[in-house]
Amino acid sequence: MGGVAVRATVVRRSDQPGRPASPPQSVADFITQESRYAPDINDGVRVNIAPIQKAGLLHADVLDAKDADKAIADRAEWRADERRWVREGKLPQPGWWSQ
C-alpha cells in the first residue's frame, strides 16, 4: 500500500485492562485493527470517544477516567439490551449492524 505508514505509537486494545497491547506489526494488522472501530451515532459523543481515549489515541483526555469507564459500560449494556430486543422480536436488527 503506497504511502501508508504505520507509526509505532499506535496502540491496540489490550486483553488486560491497564496494559497497552503491542502496536500492529504490518499494514494489514493496522487496517484490521482500525476497521473494528464502528461508532454508532445514536450512542452519542461520550460513548464513542471513550474507547479512543482509553486506547491513548487522543492528544489530551476529554473525559474523566471514571466517566470513560462508565461510557464503555453503558455501551455494553445498551448492546445487550438491543440483542435481547432482537431475540424478542421487538427490533429487526441491532442498530450498530450495517443495513
Side-chain angles (χ1 to χ4, degrees), residues 1-95:
M1 295 178 74
V4 176
V6 178
R7 292 179 36 187
T9 56
V10 175
V11 179
R12 288 185 292 175
R13 193 182 96 211
S14 174
D15 293 334
Q16 299 175 348
R19 293 192 62 209
S22 60
Q25 300 302 306
S26 68
V27 171
D29 288 346
F30 176 75
I31 291 169
T32 298
Q33 168 192 318
E34 292 302 304
S35 66
R36 288 185 187 136
Y37 178 68
D40 184 345
I41 61 169
N42 297 317
D43 288 343
V45 173
R46 178 182 71 91
V47 171
N48 284 308
I49 223 89
I52 298 170
Q53 179 173 313
K54 292 286 283 186
L57 298 176
L58 299 176
H59 177 71
D61 288 350
V62 293
L63 303 170
D64 288 335
K66 65 180 180 180
D67 193 38
D69 292 337
K70 173 85 169 88
I72 291 169
D74 287 347
R75 175 179 281 182
E77 184 177 336
W78 298 341
R79 296 293 187 265
D81 287 342
E82 285 191 70
R83 287 190 296 271
R84 186 181 74 249
W85 296 332
V86 169
R87 286 191 304 271
E88 294 171 351
K90 295 177 181 177
L91 282 178
Q93 68 183 30

